[in-house]
């Protein structure tokens, strides 16, 4: 028995050491990673400079939001569909078409002359580009053995989290130094190189063209209605005061009908457009849940920091980008540490460390004041950047690391979808809470600042006299200034409420980690470190 066990150990480790990963595959993988980076970056790089695009295209404030919404709706439909398309066409064909289409759509966006053209081109860009994201996750867990996960997982985790974080920095710089057209033109040359590399180097799998006959078209239509309407309702709901707007009501009805048909087809047909059976794997289900919540943290904070800096501090997009760069740098420096830790300690312990750091950062932010600047935001941003990487690596490994290879393509689409939906749900909740809490705080503060309050009267008299000395209507100017101060304070208090809510959320996740089984692959991979 002992001899058999001893002989089995080297045999088990042989597949990890055999030279199956050629230089060609490594170069192909990095080309795919760069394509995914461009696709994810494109969301935030544009969001930082919507004002410049709005001015350039003479668009209205309600129209310009569709530059982002159309991209996100199209992308959220493609991400889960990509697993099925990769099986039918092969990863090589799907990724090449995605990279080429994304590049062409970027060129079209740069040449748009009105808002209608821009919205259509952005939808094309989001749909085609969405095919690149899950393909990278699938490739990472298909072509690399578990022994290489400590290197590969931090790379894809870094790209998936770094791209949204540094997007405002790059977007702010490009629109300031050049023009908004360069937000899209910057994709052209890298896109061409990625397309060429993908076509010539990817050889991970073969197409299964016979599956076209079994393709579930009704499933595709219902999924597009379900996910597209859901993304629209979440994106636009707060701006339109939710169900008081008929478009949101229609969208919500479409979500329900699309969901019923989609889930019925998913469990009824032989070859569903998205295989939901991966959720039967407990670790994948929990990994997807954690990915959903990390989407809230990742996209929520990437939205909240610039909102605070722009609204309260009066920063422009370039100054916001320079301030936000700290998180990106922290992620970049933490990635190799997270990779090394994933080989040595239980992934559940890593996740608890990451959630604790994230919660600590948001707890510090809950004491935010109007005076907070780069120095006060430094530690929370470092905590956020480091914690995201320490969380993402084990979440990736837990969700996808123990699935059989034939399930990986579909599962990676579902897994990435959860992160995007987490971001959409998180932003909808954050915006709703900010709006409602600001109104509540404003009403409460206004009760104290009234004619019966001597301190308020003294302040109005003093400031009014100051304005009057410059020949202005002192009383009106002082009341306007006081109203502005109350509004600002109400905003700040609602920011504090949101950060407190996020702290509670990440605190709860620390305890939820205890429900996960330790993955067998991680246990085996980490054995050498003990």
């Amino acid at each position: 028995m002992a001899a058999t066990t001893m002989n089995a150990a080297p045999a088990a480790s042989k597949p990890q050491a055999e030279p199956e990963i050629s230089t060609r595959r490594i170069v192909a993988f990095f080309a795919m990673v760069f394509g995914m980076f461009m696709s994810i970056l494109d969301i935030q790089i544009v969001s930082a400079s919507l004002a410049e695009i709005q001015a350039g295209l003479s668009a209205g404030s309600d129209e310009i939001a569709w530059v982002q919404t159309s991209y996100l709706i199209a992308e959220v439909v493609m991400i889960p569909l990509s697993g099925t398309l990769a099986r039918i066409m092969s990863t090589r064909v799907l990724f090449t078409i995605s990279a080429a289409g994304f590049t062409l759509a970027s060129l079209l966006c740069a040449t748009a002359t009105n808002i209608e053209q821009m919205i259509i081109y952005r939808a094309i860009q989001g749909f085609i580009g969405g095919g690149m994201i899950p393909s990278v996750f699938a490739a990472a867990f298909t072509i690399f053995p578990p022994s290489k996960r400590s290197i590969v997982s931090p790379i894809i985790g870094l790209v998936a989290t770094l791209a949204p974080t540094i997007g405002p920095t790059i977007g702010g710089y490009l629109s300031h130094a050049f023009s908004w057209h360069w937000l899209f033109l910057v994709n052209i040359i890298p896109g061409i190189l990625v397309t060429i590399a993908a076509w010539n180097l990817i050889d991970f799998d073969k197409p299964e063209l016979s599956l076209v006959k079994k393709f579930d078209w009704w499933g595709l239509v219902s999924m597009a209605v379900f996910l597209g309407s859901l993304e629209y309702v979440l994106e636009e709901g707060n701006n339109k005061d939710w169900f008081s707007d008929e478009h949101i009501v229609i969208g919500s009805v479409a979500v329900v009908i699309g969901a019923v048909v989609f889930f019925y087809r998913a469990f009824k047909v032989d070859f569903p457009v998205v295989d939901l059976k991966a959720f039967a794997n407990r670790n994948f289900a929990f990994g997807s849940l954690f990915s959903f919540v990390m989407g809230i943290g990742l996209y929520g904070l990437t939205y909240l920091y610039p909102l605070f800096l722009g609204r309260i501090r009066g920063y422009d997009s370039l100054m916001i980008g320079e301030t936000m760069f700290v998180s990106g740098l922290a992620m970049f420096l933490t990635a190799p540490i997270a990779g090394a830790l994933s080989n040595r300690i239980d992934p559940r312990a890593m996740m608890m460390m990451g959630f604790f750091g994230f919660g600590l950062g948001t707890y510090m932010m809950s004491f935010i004041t109007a005076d907070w600047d780069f120095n006060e935001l430094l530690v929370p941003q470092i905590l956020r950047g480091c914690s995201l990487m320490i969380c993402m690596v084990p979440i990736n490994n837990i969700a996808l690391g123990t699935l059989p290879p034939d399930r990986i393509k579909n599962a990676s689409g579902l897994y990435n979808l959860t992160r995007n939906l987490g971001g959409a749900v998180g932003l909808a909740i954050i915006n709703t809470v900010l709006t409602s809490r600001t109104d509540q705080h404003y009403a409460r503060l206004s009760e104290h600042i009234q004619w019966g309050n001597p301190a308020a009267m003294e302040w109005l008299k003093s400031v009014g006299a100051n304005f009057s000395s410059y020949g202005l209507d002192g009383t009106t100017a002082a009341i306007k200034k006081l109203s502005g101060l109350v509004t600002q304070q109400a905003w700040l208090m609602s920011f504090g409420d949101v950060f407190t809510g996020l702290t509670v959320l990440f605190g709860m996740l620390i305890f939820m980690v205890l429900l996960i089984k330790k993955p067998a692959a991680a246990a085996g991979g980490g054995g050498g470190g003990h």
Side-chain angles (χ1 to χ4, degrees):
M1 286 280 288
T4 309
T5 308
M6 287 179 71
N7 290 337
S13 62
K14 260 184 187 173
Q16 297 178 1
E18 65 187 20
E20 61 172 283
I21 311 171
S22 60
T23 307
R24 171 192 176 126
R25 283 193 166 186
I26 291 170
V27 175
F29 175 70
F30 277 100
M32 291 174 74
V33 166
F34 195 79
M36 177 175 85
F37 179 78
M38 290 194 321
S39 180
I40 300 176
L41 181 73
D42 213 73
I43 303 168
Q44 296 300 335
I45 203 174
V46 171
S47 72
S49 305
L50 282 176
E52 285 84 347
I53 297 173
Q54 183 179 348
L57 296 176
S58 304
S61 56
D62 54 336
E63 294 174 316
I64 197 65
W66 276 96
V67 172
Q68 284 297 79
T69 307
S70 61
Y71 186 98
L72 293 169
I73 288 174
E75 185 188 55
V76 86
V77 173
M78 179 54 149
I79 285 175
L81 177 65
S82 62
T84 299
L85 293 180
R87 282 185 66 190
I88 294 171
M89 298 193 290
S90 81
T91 304
R92 176 195 183 205
V93 174
L94 174 66
F95 201 91
T96 304
I97 290 172
S98 295
F102 180 82
T103 308
L104 182 60
S106 296
L107 182 61
L108 289 172
C109 288
T111 59
T113 54
N114 58 52
I115 190 66
E116 290 79 13
Q117 286 179 7
M118 176 64 84
I119 290 168
I120 292 167
Y121 298 154
R122 282 287 282 171
I124 295 168
Q125 191 186 29
F127 184 75
I128 299 179
M132 291 192 278
I133 301 168
S135 301
V136 177
F137 282 80
F141 286 89
T142 304
I143 64 174
F144 292 98
S147 61
K148 298 288 186 286
R149 298 257 165 88
S150 62
I151 302 167
V152 176
S153 198
I155 291 171
I156 57 174
L158 177 65
V159 170
T161 52
L162 184 65
T165 307
I166 65 169
T169 308
I170 297 174
Y173 176 77
L174 286 173
S175 55
H176 267 72
F178 305 103
S179 71
W180 65 264
H181 303 85
W182 281 92
L183 301 170
F184 305 105
L185 292 173
V186 75
N187 293 327
I188 305 300
I189 292 173
I192 292 169
L193 295 175
V194 167
T195 304
I196 293 167
W199 181 253
N200 289 302
L201 300 174
I202 295 175
D203 61 352
F204 312 146
D205 52 13
K206 296 280 184 283
E208 298 176 54
L209 296 173
S210 60
L211 293 173
V212 173
K213 294 174 187 171
K214 295 200 280 182
F215 189 80
D216 181 21
W217 292 102
W218 281 110
L220 173 60
V221 171
S222 60
M223 184 184 76
V225 171
F226 165 44
L227 292 176
S229 303
L230 180 63
E231 185 75 35
Y232 168 74
V233 169
L234 291 171
E235 279 285 313
E236 299 291 320
N238 186 61
N239 297 336
K240 298 181 183 295
D241 199 18
W242 295 102
F243 296 110
S244 59
D245 181 84
E246 65 171 312
H247 293 109
I248 296 297
V249 173
I250 294 167
S252 303
V253 172
V255 170
V256 175
I257 295 170
V260 169
V261 177
F262 167 67
F263 285 112
Y264 175 78
R265 303 288 299 181
F267 292 109
K268 193 77 175 169
V269 300
D270 294 335
F271 180 52
V273 73
V274 176
D275 183 8
L276 300 176
K277 293 188 183 75
F279 284 114
N281 179 308
R282 180 172 161 184
N283 278 357
F284 177 76
F286 272 107
S288 297
L289 174 64
F290 288 128
S291 171
F292 181 88
V293 180
M294 290 313 294
I296 298 174
L298 173 63
Y299 291 104
L301 292 187
T302 305
Y303 170 74
L304 280 169
Y305 280 102
L307 188 65
F308 164 74
L309 292 168
R311 188 180 277 185
I312 307 294
R313 300 294 301 171
Y315 282 19
D316 62 23
S317 56
L318 183 59
M319 292 165 75
I320 290 170
E322 288 168 349
T323 308
M324 295 277 289
F325 186 70
V326 174
S327 280
L329 187 62
M331 283 180 200
F332 191 78
L333 297 175
T334 310
I337 299 168
L341 284 175
S342 68
N343 257 357
R344 289 174 171 78
I345 65 173
D346 188 326
R348 295 171 301 180
M350 275 185 77
M351 287 164 67
M352 290 172 87
M353 285 163 50
F355 293 144
F356 176 78
F358 217 115
L360 182 61
T362 52
Y363 175 72
M364 292 171 71
M365 287 297 294
S366 66
F367 299 101
I368 196 165
T369 71
D371 301 323
W372 279 37
D373 213 325
F374 181 86
N375 293 333
E376 288 82 4
L377 296 176
L378 182 64
V379 174
Q381 285 209 85
I382 290 172
L383 279 170
R384 171 196 170 212
C386 296
S387 301
L388 260 174
M389 282 314 303
I390 290 170
C391 288
M392 279 297 284
V393 172
I395 290 174
N396 289 347
N397 289 342
I398 280 172
L400 299 172
T402 55
L403 288 171
D406 59 319
R407 283 276 171 86
I408 291 276
K409 283 181 188 172
N410 271 311
S412 64
L414 287 171
Y415 176 69
N416 281 280
L417 176 67
T418 57
R419 189 176 62 249
N420 279 35
L421 285 180
V425 170
L427 288 179
I429 294 171
I430 285 169
N431 271 321
T432 304
V433 171
L434 279 177
T435 304
S436 62
R437 294 297 292 167
T438 299
D439 291 343
Q440 288 175 28
H441 288 306
Y442 186 86
R444 197 166 295 128
L445 290 169
S446 300
E447 288 171 10
H448 296 284
I449 301 168
Q450 51 178 305
W451 302 113
N453 185 328
M457 289 301 96
E458 189 60 38
W459 189 93
L460 282 171
K461 195 181 292 181
S462 168
V463 173
N466 192 26
F467 278 114
S468 297
S469 67
Y470 289 99
L472 300 167
D473 181 352
T475 307
T476 306
I479 289 172
K480 275 188 181 174
K481 186 164 179 62
L482 183 59
S483 175
L485 285 172
V486 173
T487 303
Q488 186 192 70
Q489 197 58 38
W491 277 342
L492 280 168
M493 291 168 81
S494 63
F495 274 115
D497 293 340
V498 170
F499 283 117
T500 302
L502 287 171
T503 304
V504 172
L505 177 66
F506 284 99
M508 287 162 56
L509 284 183
I510 294 172
F511 296 101
M512 285 189 65
V513 171
L514 300 172
L515 298 172
I516 302 178
K517 288 183 192 170
K518 183 172 181 178
H530 290 296

